Amino acid sequence: MNKCDQNCNTCSSNCKQGCPICNVLGKNVPLITVKSLIKDQNSFLNEKNTYICINRKCPVIYYQEENPKYFIKEEIKSQIWFKSSLNEQIICYCHNIKLTDIVEIVKKSNDNNLTKEKIFNLLGYEISDKECIYHNPLGESCDKLFKNAIEFAYKQKNSE
């Protein structure tokens, strides 16, 4: 099975067709992530590469190489942060921490250098990336999302 390195010029995979609806190239996602997030556990999934459609406006969430079946948001257990409104964006799927939660914490804090670790500590959560593969639609840690959300929250705070 080919792993996607996002370099389509040297890739031998046939994912170059992109999303079956919008044709935008997707991001490779672990199959175990998709299996844990689709509502219908009996849906046909093959062992080929699995992708998440990164087009914000496209209804497709997951698709696979050589599989006519794709999944739309109604078939997924959780919201996809980049296909949701700002008020609904989930940053940490393991603890259901939303962008609005982070904005509120930053707004109320006197700390000018909040981090994911500090916010988790404030919320009483322990940091662990073990479950991300099952909960985060990208199948990866929320570290980058968290960093971006904190930066966004400080911009909001400073613009008030």
Side-chain angles (χ1 to χ4, degrees), residues 97-111:
I97 301 171
K98 295 183 178 177
L99 177 61
T100 52
D101 300 327
I102 296 170
V103 169
E104 198 59 35
I105 290 168
V106 167
K107 190 185 294 185
K108 291 179 179 178
S109 176
N110 292 325
D111 188 334

Side-chain angles (χ1 to χ4, degrees), residues 24-106:
V24 171
L25 294 176
K27 181 182 182 325
N28 194 258
V29 177
L31 181 58
I32 193 165
T33 300
V34 178
K35 286 182 176 181
S36 69
L37 292 177
I38 57 174
K39 290 178 182 175
D40 180 5
Q41 296 299 310
N42 295 316
S43 288
F44 168 68
L45 290 168
N46 62 35
E47 295 300 318
K48 300 287 182 174
N49 286 333
T50 307
Y51 303 91
I52 188 166
C53 177
I54 58 172
N55 179 349
R56 293 179 187 270
K57 296 179 180 175
C58 182
V60 172
I61 305 298
Y62 295 116
Y63 65 96
Q64 288 189 297
E65 292 178 13
E66 299 176 23
N67 188 348
K69 170 71 176 144
Y70 54 84
F71 299 93
I72 59 174
K73 71 179 185 178
E74 290 78 20
E75 297 173 288
I76 307 299
K77 293 177 184 175
S78 62
Q79 295 179 27
I80 308 303
W81 64 271
F82 60 89
K83 295 192 181 206
S84 301
S85 71
L86 277 179
N87 291 336
E88 299 173 330
Q89 285 188 357
I90 299 172
I91 303 303
C92 174
Y93 285 83
C94 294
H95 298 292
N96 197 31
I97 301 171
K98 295 183 178 177
L99 177 61
T100 52
D101 300 327
I102 296 170
V103 169
E104 198 59 35
I105 290 168
V106 167

Side-chain angles (χ1 to χ4, degrees), residues 126-137:
E126 189 174 311
I127 292 184
S128 172
D129 295 336
K130 295 177 197 166
E131 298 295 313
C132 296
I133 196 164
Y134 302 107
H135 300 291
N136 186 321

Side-chain angles (χ1 to χ4, degrees), residues 100-160:
T100 52
D101 300 327
I102 296 170
V103 169
E104 198 59 35
I105 290 168
V106 167
K107 190 185 294 185
K108 291 179 179 178
S109 176
N110 292 325
D111 188 334
N112 291 324
N113 192 27
L114 284 173
T115 62
K116 177 182 174 180
E117 291 78 14
K118 289 179 182 178
I119 291 174
F120 266 56
N121 190 36
L122 287 170
L123 295 172
Y125 295 134
E126 189 174 311
I127 292 184
S128 172
D129 295 336
K130 295 177 197 166
E131 298 295 313
C132 296
I133 196 164
Y134 302 107
H135 300 291
N136 186 321
L138 298 177
E140 57 192 35
S141 165
C142 65
D143 288 349
K144 187 175 178 180
L145 268 177
F146 229 97
K147 181 180 182 293
N148 291 340
I150 292 169
E151 288 174 9
F152 175 82
Y154 276 114
K155 285 179 185 174
Q156 296 291 310
K157 181 179 181 175
N158 295 333
S159 70
E160 291 180 347

